[in-house]
Amino acid sequence: MDPKFCAEHRENLPHVHLWCDMVTPANAWDMLEAWVPEDALTNSSEGGLEFATDVLKIDIDSYDCAVVESLLTGLPSKRWGTIVRLRPSVVIMEVNDAIPPPIQMALQFNPTLSSVDLQHHMCAGNIPVAGCSLSHQVKFLGLFGFRLVLYTTGNAVFVHDSVLPALEKGDIRGPVDEFECYWHTPIGAQCASGRQVRRWFHEGVAPWDVLAEIWQHLKALEKKFDLPQLPISLKL
């Protein structure tokens, strides 16, 4: 993070809250609580407090899902002295398109590896060890009451159950099926060939074999780009 850019941002856009530091699952609430109004929190049915907001968008090209999960699960707040949870109506996530349904892949957080650069020009962006797959997002966000309503190349939109009836009035219906979405959407899979993605998703290969092939591919990418052993979870 360049301090000069941060200073210029604060000078030019003083009304915009800016966090000039690394965001992790451990400090995500520290990033938010400095600007949350005192009267914006309500008691949570799960204990502690919660902060309702319209939209949460995460795109950090790293352990995105781990940050979202920590915000939704709740983190200790120094300011309020209790657990505080974020309660968005809509969650917008970047998707690792290289990992098709039903594979649930996610890069987890390791503080000793949090500054590893996961982009490379050979992949035209992210190496597909970063972020998390569509199926992982559908599964873990579903535990918090969020449903997939839109999937475009590299991005997905989830809305909370409480919001779905209002969206239906605007002819936006959900949830939509993750397999159908992946089938009909152009895929932006960096450093995974079209042949590989086709085999993993379209050719009827047994899911356990796909799981093994994807794991081998991710390990090969670590070696190819001289990455450390990353904390990647991979499951059906």
Side-chain angles (χ1 to χ4, degrees), residues 32-47:
L32 297 178
E33 69 174 8
W35 61 270
V36 173
E38 191 72 36
D39 59 354
L41 299 183
T42 58
N43 290 324
S44 171
S45 60
E46 303 171 53

Side-chain angles (χ1 to χ4, degrees), residues 162-191:
S162 60
V163 180
L164 281 175
L167 290 181
E168 289 177 357
K169 294 178 181 179
D171 203 28
I172 300 175
R173 303 185 182 279
V176 293
D177 183 81
E178 66 202 88
F179 288 85
E180 284 291 319
C181 287
Y182 199 86
W183 184 283
H184 293 290
T185 302
I187 301 303
Q190 303 102 323
C191 282

Side-chain angles (χ1 to χ4, degrees), residues 78-100:
K78 299 174 184 176
R79 180 178 172 186
W80 284 283
T82 187
I83 297 294
V84 180
R85 300 173 181 84
L86 194 65
R87 287 293 178 260
S89 297
V90 178
V91 177
I92 303 174
M93 300 286 301
E94 186 177 35
V95 178
N96 183 343
D97 276 351
I99 312 298

